[in-house]
Amino acid sequence: MTSLNVLVAVCLCYVVLLFGVAFAADRWASTSRSTWLRSPLVYTLSLSIYCTAWTFYGAVGYAARSGLEFVTIYLGPTLVMIGWWWGLRKLVRVGRSQRVTSVADLISSRYGKSNTLAVCVTILAVIGVTPYISLQLQSITLSFNIFAEADPGESYVEQSSAFWVAAGLAVFAILFGTRNLDTNERHHGVVIAIAIEAVVKLIALLAVGIFVVWGIAGGAVDTLARIDASAIGQWQVNHGRWATITFLAAAAFLCLPRMFQVMVVENDDERHLRTAAWAFPLYLFLMSLFVVPIAVVGLEILPEGSNPDLFVLTIPLGQGQEMLAMLSFLGGFSSATSMVIVAAMALSTMVSNHIVMPIWLSAKGGGASVSGDVRSVVMYARRVSIAVVLGLGYFYYRMSGGGAALASIGLIAFAGIAQILPAMVGGLFWRGATRTGALVGLTVGFVLWLFTLLLPGMGPEVLAPSVLEQGLFGLSWLRPQALFGIEGLDPMVHSVMWSMSLNAAAFCIVSLLSFPSPLERLQGAQFVNVFEHSAGPRGWTGSVAQSEDLMIMSQRIMGAREAQEFFQAEAAAQGSRAFLPEPTPVFLERLERELAGSVGAATAHAMIGQIVGGSSVSVEDLLAVADESAQLLEYSSRLEAKSAELGRTARKLRDANEKLTQISLQKDAFLSQISHELRTPMTSIRAFSEILRDTDGLERVDITRYAAIIHDEALRLTRLLDDLLDLSVLENGQVTLNLGQGMLADILDRAASTVLTGTPKPLRIRRNSGSEQVVLQTDLDRLTQVFINLISNAQKYCDAADPTLTVSVHDVGGRVVVDLLDNGSGVPADAQKMIFEKFARVGADKAGGAGLGLAICREIMQRLGGDITYLPGQGGGAFRVSLPLGLEIAAQ
Amino acid sequence: MTGGRERDPAQMQPPPVFLERQSYRRRRLMDAARLLPILGAALFAVPLLWPNAGEGGVRMSVAITYVFGVWAALILISAGFGIAARMVQPGDQAEAERKP
C-alpha cells in the first residue's frame, strides 16, 4: 500500500521537478533564442489547461451519470480549433498587435480603453473562476482522501490539506507568474511546466484507459459489449443540453481567462495555430477516448455507491495497481495545478491592471512620473492578487463544504464566462459595437446568469426556495428557472438561452442606438480590420508631453535598462542623436503599447494621459484636426486657383510673345517690302525723269507716256504714304469723325461700285436688299472705306473660278451685323490671327497691297463703336462687321 | 489635400482579377478549411436525430463509434489542410494574410 507520506513525497518531488524545469526554461528563454521553447507542440500542449481536474476526474463521473454527454465539453473547443481560420486567428493577431494582457484588457482596449468595462469583465471572471479553482482544490483533496482511506495508519485532515495545497499553488504561481514584468507578458517557464503537466495527464489517463480496456475488460470488442450491457448502454441525451453545452464549451474556450492567457497572450507565433488546429483536437480526442470504458468498468466492478468521479483512481487501486494509481494521481494533480496556476496568473493580471493600478494611480494623483516605483507596485499587486484569488477559492471550498454542489460548478462557471462572448465577437467583427452596448450586454448577461444559474445552484441558504418556486417578489414570471413562464427546460439550457440571447440582443440594440467616442471608433477600426492595417491610431498629440517625465515613468514600469534601450532605439529611429526622443504621436503611441504589455491598455493610456496632459483623442482634438485639414483644404484650393490663374497668365504671355515675335518679323518683312515698294516707283520715276532730262528729240507721244508713268508712280507713292498716315492718325486717336445719317444699302452700293468699276476681274456680289434697309448714324465715308476695303480684298484674293461675294445683314442684339462671305479658300488658319495687324499680308507675293487695309478697317470700326472680325469655318473668306445702330460712337 | 498623402505604390495597384493557379488553389483550400467546422457541427448534431433509449434505441457502442469516428475524421482533415497549406505556400505568408 502506498502510504500517504510516500504520496506527499512524490507530489513534492514532482513539484520540485516542475520548478526546476520552469526555472531552467526561463533562464534558457532569456539567454538563448532556442526555438523548441516556442514550438507549436509546446503551444498545443499549453492549451491543454482546458482539461482541468474537473475533466480529468469528472469526465468519468459525468459519463457514468449521463452517458456520452460529457463529450460535448470537448466537442466545442474542437470545433473552435478546427475553425481557427474564422475567429481564433483574428483574436490572436489582435492580441499580439495590441499587446493585450488579458481578456479584460482585450475588451477594454477594443471599447476605447474603457476601464469600467475592464473592471466589469474582471469581476465577472473572478466570480466565475473562483468556484472553479475551489473545484480543483477539492479534486486534489479528494484524491488525497482516497489514498488516506487506503492507509488508515495516517492521521489526515482534509481541510488542512486543502489549505496547504492552495498555499503551495499560490507560491508556485507567484514565483513563476510574477517573476518578471515582461512587456510581452509571456512566461516561458510556466508554459513549459504546463506542457509537461499536459503530457503527464494524458499519459496517466491513457494508461488507466489501456489498463481498463485490455487489462480488465479483455479487449476493445469486449469493452464495447460491456458498454452496451451497462446502465448507460443506450444512447440517451437531452438534446437541448447536447447543443447548449457544445456551444458553452466553445464559448468558454475562447473567453476563459486562463485559456486566453495561453492561447493569445503566451502565443509566440501565429503560425502555431495551424498546428494546434489539429493537434489540440487530437489531444482532446485522446483524453476522452477511454472515458466511457473507464466509467462502465468502474460501475461494473466497484461496489455500489462509490464516487464515479474518482474511478480513475479507485479502479487501479482496487486492482492493486499501485504505480498506475500513483500515475493517475499525478495526472489529476497536474490537471488541477496547471489550471490553478494559469487561472490565478491571468486573474491576477486582470485584477492588478484593471482594479489595483487605477485605484493606486488616482490615489497618487500627482501622476506616475513623480510617484514611487510603479514596477514594484504592479508586482506586489499581482502577487497579492494571486494570493487573494487562491484564498477566495479556498474559502469558497470551505464554505460549500466540498460537497456535490461543487461538482456542478464547472458548467456554471462556463456559462458565466461565456457572457463575455458577445462583446468579444462583436468587438472583433463589428465596427459598430460600442462601449455602452458591451457594458449593457455584459450586465444583462451577468445578472441573468447570476439569477438563473449561479444563485439557484448554490443551495437554499443563498436563494430562498420560495423565490425558486414563486419567483422574485412573488412574480411568477420571475422564477429563476422558468423565466417569463417558460417551464420544463433544463436549468442549464434555460439559463444559457436567456442570458446569452438577451445579452447579445442588449449588446446589439444599445450599440445601434449609442454613439461611440472617437477613441472607440479608432480602436474598433484597428480591431476589425486588423489584417488590413496594423499601424496604430494617432492617439496622442505630444506637444506638451515631456520626454523626461515619460522616461522616468517608463523606467518604473518597464525597468530601467529596458526603458533606456527602448527610448534610445526610438530616438535613433527618429534620426536624432540625443538620448531622449521627441514626443511625437508615433513615439507616444508605441510607448503606450509597450506599457500596455505590462499594465494593460487602459492603465497605460491613463498613465501617459497624466503626463501628456490628457491630450488623448477627444472630440475637440478631432474637431481641431478636422478644422486644420479644412483650412489646409481651403489653402490648397486657393493655391490651386492661383496656380490656374498663373497658368492662364503664362499662356496669355506666351501668346503675346508669339504675336510680338510675329509682328516683329512682319515689321522686318514690311520694312524690306516698303523699301521695295517705295523703291520701285522711285526707280521708274528717276529713270523716266532722267530720260526726259537727258534725251533730246523725244517724240511728243513718248514724252507724254513717260510723264504719265512718272505721274502714276507718284500717285502710288502718295497712296502708300496716305495709308500710312491714315493708320497712324487712327491709331493715335486723332481722327475726326464726320457723322451723318445714311442707309446701309447705299453705303454698300457705293463701295461695290467703287471697287468694281473698271476692273478686269469680275466679282459677283449677292445681296439681299430687303435686309439692308437699315438707317445708320455714323461716319458714312469711313464705313464706306471699310466696305471698299473688304470687297476689294475679296476681289483681289478670292481664288474661286467664279468669285462670288455674299453680303448678308442681321440684327443681333441691337447691333447691325454685316457678314461678307466669299467662295474662295479663305484665310489660312495660322494667318487668321494676324490679318488685322499692321503690315500683315497673306502670301506676300499675291498682290500689291502694303498690308495696311485691314488694320485701318479695324481701327475705323473701333472708332465707330463697332468691330470687325474674321469668321472662321464658313467655307471661304468671311468677315463680320458689326456696328451700333445709333450714336454710340466710341469716346474720342 | 487630395492625393497629398504619400502612398505605397503597391497599394495603388488594383488587385488582379485573375490569380495564378497556385494562389487560386490556396484560396480554395482556405475556403474548404473554413467550411470544415460547419461540417463538423452538422455531423455532431446528427446524434440529436437518433431516438432516445427505449424501443429502437441506438446502442452506446454505435454512438461512441460514430462520435469518435467523426471526431477522428475532422482531426485528419484538419491536419491534412495544415500540411497542404504548408506545401502550397512555402513561406508565402503575406499573400495569404492579406485577403482571404
Side-chain angles (χ1 to χ4, degrees):
Chain A
M1 253 309 131
T2 311
S3 77
L4 204 57
N5 285 336
V6 174
L7 194 70
V8 172
V10 167
C11 268
L12 286 179
C13 285
Y14 182 61
V15 170
V16 168
L17 173 78
L18 288 181
F19 264 110
V21 168
F23 190 71
D26 258 351
R27 285 285 294 275
W28 209 343
S30 61
T31 53
S32 71
R33 311 290 301 166
S34 69
T35 49
W36 70 270
L37 280 179
R38 304 178 179 82
S39 73
L41 183 69
V42 171
Y43 179 68
T44 308
L45 287 175
S46 72
L47 289 182
S48 74
I49 54 154
Y50 179 74
C51 304
T52 61
W54 175 51
T55 45
F56 186 86
Y57 293 125
V60 174
Y62 201 153
R65 289 185 206 100
S66 326
L68 211 50
E69 193 183 287
F70 83 93
V71 89
T72 51
I73 300 286
Y74 302 103
L75 292 186
T78 298
L79 292 176
V80 170
M81 281 314 289
I82 286 176
W84 68 287
W85 202 265
W86 285 103
L88 218 48
R89 177 167 156 266
K90 193 167 193 177
L91 186 66
V92 171
R93 172 69 71 87
V94 166
R96 287 167 57 81
S97 73
Q98 297 283 325
R99 304 212 173 215
V100 165
T101 57
S102 65
V103 64
D105 196 27
L106 177 91
I107 302 284
S108 132
S109 186
R110 162 62 180 84
Y111 297 105
K113 305 182 182 178
S114 147
N115 205 47
T116 320
L117 257 180
V119 170
C120 284
V121 175
T122 306
I123 291 173
L124 178 65
V126 169
I127 293 180
V129 174
T130 306
Y132 211 157
I133 289 177
S134 55
L135 184 62
Q136 310 303 312
L137 297 181
Q138 184 196 28
S139 75
I140 296 179
T141 337
L142 275 180
S143 54
F144 268 121
N145 262 0
I146 294 291
F147 283 89
E149 280 165 17
D151 182 20
E154 297 286 334
S155 61
Y156 170 69
V157 185
E158 191 182 320
Q159 304 291 4
S160 69
S161 83
F163 175 80
W164 287 115
V165 167
L169 289 176
V171 170
F172 191 95
I174 287 170
L175 271 179
F176 285 95
T178 62
R179 224 160 55 84
N180 53 344
L181 193 59
D182 184 26
T183 45
N184 294 320
E185 201 61 46
R186 298 207 178 107
H187 310 86
H188 292 107
V190 173
V191 170
I192 288 291
I194 288 166
I196 289 173
E197 290 188 303
V199 175
V200 169
K201 64 192 178 195
L202 181 64
I203 289 175
L205 203 58
L206 285 180
V208 174
I210 288 167
F211 169 71
V212 163
V213 171
W214 282 278
I216 300 177
V221 180
D222 286 355
T223 311
L224 285 179
R226 279 181 191 231
I227 288 171
D228 283 343
S230 73
I232 53 169
Q234 281 213 312
W235 167 256
Q236 179 155 29
V237 293
N238 179 325
H239 291 179
R241 278 177 72 87
W242 178 272
T244 305
I245 296 174
T246 307
F247 166 76
L248 260 193
F253 184 68
L254 289 169
C255 299
L256 275 171
R258 66 171 196 276
M259 290 316 298
F260 193 87
Q261 177 80 27
V262 288
M263 195 157 56
V264 179
V265 181
E266 306 276 358
N267 177 286
D268 265 315
D269 190 336
E270 229 172 88
R271 278 170 296 185
H272 291 172
L273 273 180
R274 201 189 285 164
T275 307
W278 60 268
F280 184 64
L282 180 65
Y283 186 92
L284 295 178
F285 177 88
L286 294 175
M287 283 295 279
S288 45
L289 192 56
F290 292 110
V291 166
V292 176
I294 294 172
V296 167
V297 170
L299 285 173
E300 207 171 291
I301 64 169
L302 288 176
E304 195 87 358
S306 39
N307 185 357
D309 281 336
L310 293 167
F311 279 175
V312 181
L313 272 182
T314 46
I315 291 175
L317 271 181
Q319 299 292 311
Q321 297 286 336
E322 297 286 329
M323 290 311 289
L324 190 59
M326 180 71 81
L327 182 63
S328 165
F329 171 80
L330 277 185
F333 184 73
S334 298
S335 319
T337 50
S338 57
M339 179 271 165
V340 171
I341 288 165
V342 180
M345 265 168 50
L347 281 183
S348 77
T349 307
M350 283 157 72
V351 169
S352 79
N353 283 356
H354 303 301
I355 294 178
V356 179
M357 284 306 290
I359 292 173
W360 183 82
L361 271 179
S362 65
K364 286 283 175 185
S369 61
V370 290
S371 52
D373 194 343
V374 179
R375 205 170 149 75
S376 66
V377 171
V378 173
M379 284 299 192
Y380 277 121
R382 296 236 172 129
R383 286 172 186 160
V384 171
S385 304
I386 289 179
V388 167
V389 165
L390 277 167
L392 279 176
Y394 175 69
F395 281 111
Y396 190 87
Y397 168 71
R398 290 289 300 272
M399 258 171 47
S400 67
L406 209 49
S408 61
I409 206 77
L411 273 181
I412 296 178
F414 273 23
I417 291 296
Q419 302 305 327
I420 302 172
L421 191 72
M424 183 193 260
V425 172
L428 284 179
F429 292 97
W430 184 33
R431 279 181 69 173
T434 68
R435 192 183 76 96
T436 330
L439 208 54
V440 173
L442 264 179
T443 314
V444 167
F446 179 67
V447 168
L448 279 173
W449 167 71
L450 214 62
F451 182 61
T452 58
L453 202 58
L454 187 65
L455 296 184
M458 286 170 100
E461 308 88 48
V462 184
L463 199 68
S466 66
V467 175
L468 212 55
E469 278 155 28
Q470 279 130 39
L472 196 62
F473 313 121
L475 297 169
S476 66
W477 57 275
L478 276 182
R479 275 174 294 165
Q481 296 186 339
L483 218 52
F484 306 113
I486 293 184
E487 292 180 59
L489 281 178
D490 180 87
M492 171 65 65
V493 176
H494 171 266
S495 169
V496 170
M497 185 194 79
W498 279 119
S499 61
M500 287 307 286
S501 57
L502 290 184
N503 176 347
F507 169 66
C508 292
I509 291 169
V510 176
S511 285
L512 289 173
L513 294 179
S514 58
F515 196 79
S517 73
L519 190 58
E520 265 179 86
R521 296 169 75 178
L522 287 173
Q523 287 293 97
Q526 289 250 299
F527 272 57
V528 176
N529 304 327
V530 67
F531 293 113
E532 274 78 45
H533 47 80
S534 290
R538 301 280 176 260
W540 299 106
T541 49
S543 51
V544 286
Q546 302 292 317
S547 291
E548 209 175 325
D549 287 347
L550 287 171
M551 175 80 189
I552 294 167
M553 179 190 73
S554 311
Q555 279 183 347
R556 288 182 175 145
I557 296 174
M558 298 158 68
R561 195 170 50 81
E562 286 88 346
Q564 282 162 15
E565 272 170 14
F566 176 74
F567 272 62
Q568 221 157 11
E570 285 296 314
Q574 286 180 3
S576 110
R577 284 175 163 210
F579 184 74
L580 290 173
E582 288 294 308
T584 59
V586 182
F587 163 67
L588 288 175
E589 213 249 323
R590 249 184 244 151
L591 179 65
E592 190 191 321
R593 284 226 188 139
E594 284 291 321
L595 295 181
S598 300
V599 291
T603 308
H605 195 69
M607 289 176 103
I608 291 196
Q610 279 187 344
I611 290 176
V612 180
S615 62
S616 63
V617 178
S618 62
V619 180
E620 290 73 26
D621 284 339
L622 283 188
L623 281 178
V625 170
D627 247 14
E628 214 170 271
S629 48
Q631 281 174 8
L632 273 175
L633 268 176
E634 199 191 312
Y635 180 63
S636 110
S637 69
R638 273 214 305 272
L639 272 183
E640 262 170 37
K642 284 236 171 76
S643 119
E645 199 184 312
L646 273 178
R648 276 196 300 277
T649 314
R651 238 183 346 267
K652 272 187 201 154
L653 278 175
R654 256 200 311 280
D655 280 358
N657 188 31
E658 207 175 300
K659 222 166 171 182
L660 280 174
T661 320
Q662 264 175 311
I663 287 171
S664 155
L665 283 175
Q666 272 168 355
K667 201 162 86 184
D668 290 347
F670 171 75
L671 279 178
S672 65
Q673 175 76 22
I674 202 90
S675 333
H676 180 72
E677 293 278 335
L678 288 173
R679 200 178 166 77
T680 319
M682 278 301 185
T683 313
S684 44
I685 288 171
R686 209 177 70 200
F688 283 108
S689 54
E690 275 170 7
I691 291 170
L692 285 177
R693 187 191 67 196
D694 298 337
T695 316
D696 298 326
L698 275 174
E699 293 287 332
R700 182 77 207 164
V701 185
D702 285 340
I703 292 171
T704 315
R705 195 158 58 89
Y706 295 156
I709 289 172
I710 291 170
H711 183 249
D712 279 354
E713 292 299 320
L715 275 182
R716 221 171 108 192
L717 273 175
T718 316
R719 218 169 38 238
L720 189 61
L721 295 171
D722 274 351
D723 276 356
L724 282 171
L725 196 65
D726 207 11
L727 191 63
S728 144
V729 166
L730 277 167
E731 278 192 337
N732 293 334
Q734 291 163 345
V735 74
T736 340
L737 293 176
N738 191 8
L739 292 179
Q741 243 181 10
M743 292 293 262
L744 179 60
D746 296 341
I747 299 169
L748 286 170
D749 281 348
R750 195 137 47 93
S753 59
T754 311
V755 175
L756 297 180
T757 308
T759 50
K761 205 176 164 193
L763 175 72
R764 211 146 54 79
I765 300 181
R766 292 215 314 238
R767 290 167 56 188
N768 180 358
S769 50
S771 62
E772 286 169 8
Q773 302 303 317
V774 184
V775 180
L776 293 171
Q777 168 89 18
T778 186
D779 187 329
L780 299 175
D781 291 335
R782 286 290 189 185
L783 190 59
T784 313
Q785 190 188 346
V786 170
F787 284 122
I788 289 172
N789 206 306
L790 289 176
I791 295 170
S792 71
N793 270 356
Q795 195 226 354
K796 268 188 254 174
Y797 298 113
C798 184
D799 48 7
D802 180 17
T804 311
L805 181 72
T806 311
V807 180
S808 53
V809 181
H810 319 277
D811 186 333
V812 178
R815 292 170 76 85
V816 184
V817 171
V818 186
D819 289 344
L820 297 101
L821 170 67
D822 68 30
N823 59 349
S825 57
V827 180
D830 55 341
Q832 284 170 10
K833 261 200 283 187
M834 298 301 301
I835 49 176
F836 292 107
E837 300 299 331
K838 282 171 285 184
F839 319 126
R841 294 168 54 177
V842 181
D845 51 271
K846 258 195 174 168
L852 291 171
L854 283 173
I856 293 170
C857 286
R858 195 173 62 172
E859 287 299 328
I860 291 171
M861 287 318 296
Q862 279 171 358
R863 291 295 141 205
L864 295 179
D867 200 5
I868 176 165
T869 50
Y870 183 77
L871 290 179
Q874 300 295 314
F879 289 88
R880 164 166 291 184
V881 177
S882 66
L883 71 164
L885 271 172
L887 269 165
E888 303 164 37
I889 306 302
Q892 298 293 309
Chain B
M1 291 292 270
T2 48
R5 188 165 299 179
E6 281 185 16
R7 283 201 210 150
D8 183 8
Q11 230 176 334
M12 301 277 283
Q13 287 172 358
V17 179
F18 294 105
L19 297 166
E20 282 176 45
R21 196 179 183 79
Q22 204 185 15
S23 315
Y24 183 85
R25 276 284 136 248
R26 184 159 63 234
R27 293 203 183 172
R28 296 297 81 79
L29 198 68
M30 282 179 216
D31 290 349
R34 276 160 196 270
L35 289 177
L36 192 60
I38 298 172
L39 174 75
L43 288 176
F44 283 136
V46 166
L48 295 180
L49 302 173
W50 296 343
N52 264 340
E55 279 300 303
V58 176
R59 276 182 299 142
M60 187 56 117
S61 57
V62 175
I64 289 177
T65 315
Y66 175 79
V67 168
F68 281 85
V70 167
W71 202 342
L74 286 179
I75 292 167
L76 284 179
I77 296 171
S78 183
F81 280 144
I83 291 163
R86 215 162 302 174
M87 281 165 73
V88 169
Q89 47 163 120
D92 180 10
Q93 197 70 10
E95 160 70 17
E97 277 167 4
R98 200 179 307 149
K99 201 72 196 164

